[in-house]
Amino acid sequence: MADRITYVGLDVHKETIVVAVAAGGLRGEVREYGRIANTPAALDRLLRKLGGDGMTLRFCYEAGPCGYDIDRRLSARGHECVVVAPSLIPKRAGDRVKTDRRDAASLAKLHRAGELTAVWVPDVGHEAMRDLVRARVDAVHSLRRARQQLSGFLLRQGCHYGRPAWTKLHRRWLAGLNFGQAVHHIVLEDCIAAVEVAEARRDRLTAQIEAMLPDWALAPVVAALQTMRGMALVNAATLTAELDDLSRFANPRQLMAYLGLVPSEHSSGASVKRGGITKAGNAAARRLLIEAAWSYRFPARLSRALLLRRRASPS
């Protein structure tokens, strides 16, 4: 039966895909197939050439910027496909030559040996929601950068507010600033405009998340998370979009390892050395959980907003 299985390694790029094929069995031949275009038509031709005579095809490729379209296309045609975690691919210490052909052949051989670690592939709807919440994260970063640029400009001009920034009083203070050079007024107005544009983008994406949430399959999970302290709409939606259904983790240890919240360790013999958290896995979800945990430094009081969310929750 093993000789009727072909393992196909794909080194995927924006325009092309380099293909290598490993025959079934421990000592099966590994050969280069060649380079094809990264198009649906070229992929269909590859399936017809390799899948003849009842041959079973098992594909694999590294997770990267090209996304999961190839995995979905191959799965829709009834072929097994694995999207591989690049950081967990075994590599020989003495290997100093890296080419696309070698990468594809290595993927095919490792897939045949069962040495590759697959990543979780979201469905189309979940990936769309995740893209939306990540767009809002990018908007928040842009807003922070715009505010820092404005604060840096004011600091160079010797302007110090001395109170909490970005309140109504702070904006009124910005509007009343005077400079000796007219050019500085132009710079100030441009920085303020950049902050306002970034704020509008953040608020627009927040409204879109709230509008799209009722149609999402995981909306009940988002509602349940909001009953906890430190979890409002945006945090709950972002955490759910990054983690998907928590039942896919067999136990809490797997979830903590996925988030990189387990301690690092370097022990040998009688020597036991443990360090800080590994910070592996999903950085966005880890950051949100840490921010939510900060709320538990304070006394356990229910705010009016949290009380309303708990009353509205079906659970």
Side-chain angles (χ1 to χ4, degrees), residues 26-308:
L26 294 178
R27 300 183 181 276
E29 177 190 10
V30 179
R31 60 184 176 86
E32 300 173 5
Y33 178 85
R35 188 183 299 267
I36 65 174
N38 189 356
T39 61
L43 198 60
D44 290 339
R45 285 195 297 270
L46 176 68
L47 295 178
R48 289 194 296 268
K49 290 182 179 179
L50 296 180
D53 300 328
M55 183 68 67
T56 300
L57 302 179
R58 296 181 179 177
F59 293 85
C60 67
Y61 68 96
E62 295 183 30
C66 293
Y68 306 110
D69 184 65
I70 293 177
D71 172 82
R72 293 179 180 129
R73 189 174 300 278
L74 293 173
S75 299
R77 283 157 177 74
H79 298 285
E80 178 184 317
C81 184
V82 174
V83 184
V84 181
S87 60
L88 300 180
I89 296 177
K91 290 181 172 56
R92 292 182 296 180
D95 193 355
R96 294 292 185 270
V97 179
K98 182 186 183 304
T99 64
D100 295 342
R101 293 181 301 175
R102 281 176 172 248
D103 288 345
S106 176
L107 285 173
K109 288 190 293 185
L110 291 172
H111 189 29
R112 182 178 62 187
E115 297 292 333
L116 297 177
T117 302
V119 302
W120 168 72
V121 178
D123 57 46
V124 178
H126 187 95
E127 186 179 16
M129 191 66 181
R130 190 174 66 179
D131 289 339
L132 180 60
V133 298
R134 287 182 176 179
R136 188 193 178 276
V137 171
D138 292 338
V140 171
H141 291 166
S142 299
L143 175 59
R144 184 182 300 119
R145 184 164 54 250
R147 287 177 171 177
Q148 288 173 344
Q149 290 172 350
L150 175 55
S151 298
F153 166 72
L154 295 176
L155 184 62
R156 292 194 302 272
Q157 306 308 316
C159 300
H160 308 281
Y161 183 60
R163 295 180 181 179
W166 311 113
T167 61
K168 291 183 178 180
L169 289 176
H170 179 246
R171 294 176 185 274
R172 194 176 305 161
W173 174 78
L174 289 174
L177 289 175
N178 292 312
F179 302 102
Q181 297 292 327
V183 175
H184 288 160
H185 288 281
I186 298 175
V187 176
L188 176 64
E189 291 175 0
D190 183 75
C191 290
I192 293 175
V195 171
E196 292 175 347
V197 169
E199 287 177 340
R201 180 190 176 200
R202 179 202 58 187
D203 296 341
R204 183 170 60 252
L205 289 171
T206 302
Q208 289 294 331
I209 292 173
E210 189 172 2
M212 298 297 295
L213 195 57
D215 298 329
W216 191 23
L218 294 179
V221 179
V222 177
L225 285 175
Q226 291 184 73
T227 62
M228 303 175 63
R229 295 164 59 196
M231 279 288 172
L233 173 68
V234 173
N235 279 10
T238 304
L239 185 63
T240 306
E242 295 293 343
L243 296 181
D244 191 54
D245 186 5
L246 296 180
S247 62
R248 67 189 180 97
F249 300 99
N251 51 61
R253 292 189 302 274
Q254 286 189 1
L255 175 60
M256 292 299 103
Y258 176 78
L259 294 171
L261 290 173
V262 295
S264 58
E265 183 172 353
H266 186 79
S267 302
S268 179
S271 174
V272 178
K273 296 182 181 179
R274 294 188 177 90
I277 60 175
T278 61
K279 295 185 179 181
N282 196 303
R286 180 173 63 251
R287 176 182 57 82
L288 289 174
L289 282 178
I290 293 173
E291 288 182 358
W294 289 346
S295 300
Y296 289 82
R297 298 176 300 166
F298 305 106
R301 296 190 181 95
L302 291 179
S303 65
R304 184 174 183 275
L306 180 57
L307 186 60
L308 291 175

